Amino acid sequence: MLTYIVRRLLQSVLVLIAVGFIAFSLFSYVGDPINNMVGVEATDAEREWARKTLGLDDPFPVQFARFAAKAVQGDFGQSYRLSIPVATAIGERLPATLELVFVAAVMALLIGVPLGVYTGLHRDGAISRILLTISLIGISLPTFLIGILLIMVFSVWLGWLPSFGRGATVDLWGWESNLVSWEGFKSIILPAVTLCLFQLTLLMRLVRAEMLEVLRTDYIKFARARGLTNRAVNFGHALKNTLVPVITITGLQIGSLIAFAIITETVFQWPGMGLLFLQAIQFVDIPVMAAYLCLVAFIFVVINLIVDILYYAIDPRLRLDGSGHAH
Amino acid sequence: MGDTTNAQPLLQVENLRVEFPTRRGTLVAVDDISFHIDEGEVLGVVGESGAGKSLTGAAIIGLLEPPGRVASGQIIFDGARIDNIGYEKIRRLRGNQIAMIFQDPLTSLNPLITVGRQLTETIRTHVSVDERAARERAIELLNEVGIPAAERRVDQYPHQFSGGMRQRVVIALALAANPRLIIADEPTTALDVSIQAQIITLLKRLCKEHGTAVMLVTHDMGVIAETADRVAVMYAGRIVEVGPVQDVIRHAQHPYTHGLMNSIPVVRHDVEQLKQIDGAMPRLTDIPSGCAFNPRCPKVFEYCRDARPELVDVGATRAACWLYDDTRRAGDTT
């Protein structure tokens, strides 16, 4: 178990170094950073001086090492656009995105998995067919369209929920949260629903397919032949065997929730990282872009690590051979 | 004489018909078969793949996979019909009164759940005991089926057992609630030859000790000869011959049974080549008219193609063959 985790950790570090390298390359290849910093009237001597004091004339590996050392400490320098440290800018936005993604992921799991189980068990039922048809819509409608439709119905026509922004947040030791008060939670509902819809339908269809597969297996037949109740067979035996692929996909999808959040955050003017990143691209705010890249990579790596550990917890067959290969 | 039933049999199947509705019409997989199994008796059911053996077993325990269904007939267990009693009642019988063992021990156990947990779950479904008592019973069962170090093995997962050991676990699971009938569907087919005999001996011994009746479904005539009290030979969804195992083996009446016997390798005789039955069993979509065996039968005569024979007493067994109907035969030769 320990060697398995250590090996996974080492792989994670390699991934992060690679991403860090790409992020760093942004500085060198997307324009000259000196040009972005000094005024138009700066003389060549002044440019040279700036280059020297900032260490930009050092060899490439030295610069990269310096970047990496700082990045590990969370220091990505100053944002060109906001003129505040990147870490601060992201720190302000991170809670908004994480909360949004968290709520969306929880909704997708809590609704998608039961629906998948239901449609898997009642394969030919009328309700299953209706759910599957609706899920097709969920999978094919683009996020921005769903967002705008929801705003139209729930904010404009019904006036139940706010259409943009985080609304009233509560400060929890520096973490601005939408989750602790009903007023704040109202603001997160629409963006979270928009964000989760695709994942929800994907999960539902995945769980359904896996259930159908597992229900055909001999051990399910044998469990039924032993007189176990439907409940014990379906949930105790079948559902557990669908979990490995479901966890894989859920892990990957949480990563892409963060990616998809860019669009949702734009539609709902949600002040999260996605919006920050989009603005950074428009202004070629390279430190922010680099930091965002590294952060997303870091989140992906952490999620994958958790997924791998969950495999271990679920499937005893992985525990024996030590290699723990699960992909 | 043939079928003399003294008391009420444990299981009585009457005119069972299993159908599969398909787009191109209804396929009849089990066609109007009747047989019984007495308390503590081992009935071998033998036949080629697709003869309807396994489906008969599945129909008895109510586990036919849709769209397969019992179209007509009755299944009577311990004096009461069980083919139309609803899900909850048949579920209570499963494992408790009638257990089933499947062919492949490698896939019969849930890979994510310990052997002990699968056993205690089954025990507690049918017997009201607490977890500790169920665990003790589970260890006892594992001991009984000959798994060494049962106290330790009980907490292991199926993949930590070999194929033969897993089939022992499967047998332990089937015996968990002391059923009165076990339907063993090709219990040794997936095992190594060296293990097969062990498993059959074990099954035979345990059922004798517990007084459990067995419906032993197999295509291995050797296993039947060693184990069964009576044997029913199935062909294309019908029982073509049924009787005490020694009589069927020594004096097979139906030409098909005869062919099956000849295809068993016998070491004593120095035969160059095993005899085989020419041709293959018909598909369900085109079962020949008359006797289904007529295209492959070495003793076929005209009438066999016209009408389907029913089981009649022939010597010590019952066979469904026109050879034993003197008037038909006479009518044909003249």
Side-chain angles (χ1 to χ4, degrees), chain B residues 28-222:
Chain B
V28 183
V30 174
D31 190 2
D32 194 25
I33 66 169
S34 303
F35 63 94
H36 72 272
I37 300 177
D38 287 327
E39 199 96 41
E41 183 189 38
V42 179
L43 175 74
V45 179
V46 71
E48 288 167 82
S49 308
K53 313 177 300 268
S54 299
L55 285 172
T56 306
I60 291 169
I61 203 167
L63 282 174
L64 278 177
E65 278 186 41
R69 60 188 168 94
V70 174
S72 62
Q74 293 191 359
I75 299 166
I76 297 159
F77 181 80
D78 198 19
R81 273 187 79 166
I82 59 167
D83 54 301
N84 59 351
I85 54 174
Y87 167 74
E88 190 53 30
K89 280 188 180 157
I90 188 85
R91 180 187 73 70
R92 283 173 195 279
L93 282 180
R94 288 181 198 149
N96 194 16
Q97 299 285 318
I98 308 176
M100 192 150 183
I101 296 173
F102 291 96
Q103 181 171 352
D104 191 350
L106 298 182
T107 57
S108 287
L109 299 169
N110 191 327
L112 304 187
I113 300 178
T114 62
V115 159
R117 176 93 188 74
Q118 299 191 44
L119 275 163
T120 56
E121 187 184 25
T122 309
I123 293 165
R124 295 192 68 190
T125 301
H126 299 296
V127 191
S128 61
V129 289
D130 63 7
E131 191 65 33
R132 244 192 50 205
R135 190 183 150 88
E136 274 165 26
R137 171 96 179 106
I139 294 173
E140 205 177 288
L141 279 163
L142 290 181
N143 270 321
E144 212 179 337
V145 296
I147 288 178
E151 293 83 2
R152 188 173 54 82
R153 300 287 260 169
V154 73
D155 292 317
Q156 294 187 341
Y157 290 91
H159 71 269
Q160 290 164 287
F161 290 77
S162 67
M165 283 294 156
R166 280 193 228 184
Q167 196 62 310
R168 286 170 192 264
V169 173
V170 168
I171 291 172
L173 276 163
L175 288 171
N178 250 320
R180 293 164 71 191
L181 171 67
I182 292 182
I183 300 168
D185 188 356
E186 311 249 5
T188 58
T189 308
L191 297 172
D192 286 348
V193 181
S194 55
I195 311 288
Q196 284 185 0
Q198 288 178 20
I199 294 294
I200 284 295
T201 313
L202 175 75
L203 191 64
K204 206 169 138 185
R205 178 172 62 79
L206 288 175
C207 290
K208 197 157 208 138
E209 284 169 15
H210 292 254
T212 316
V214 181
M215 176 175 158
L216 182 63
V217 175
T218 178
H219 58 249
D220 187 339
M221 212 49 217

Side-chain angles (χ1 to χ4, degrees), chain A residues 16-87:
Chain A
L16 286 179
I17 289 176
V19 173
F21 185 78
I22 295 168
F24 176 70
S25 316
L26 284 176
F27 288 95
S28 317
Y29 298 111
V30 185
D32 180 359
I34 294 296
N35 273 340
N36 291 321
M37 281 178 243
V38 298
V40 190
E41 291 112 58
T43 62
D44 280 354
E46 280 170 327
R47 282 168 191 270
E48 208 45 51
W49 178 82
R51 203 177 296 278
K52 200 155 237 150
T53 37
L54 290 173
L56 291 176
D57 55 350
D58 289 336
F60 186 83
V62 177
Q63 287 193 47
F64 179 59
R66 194 159 44 216
F67 168 83
K70 281 189 170 177
V72 166
Q73 297 162 37
D75 181 1
F76 284 91
Q78 291 265 328
S79 159
Y80 298 161
R81 184 176 67 92
L82 302 166
S83 301
I84 53 169
V86 172

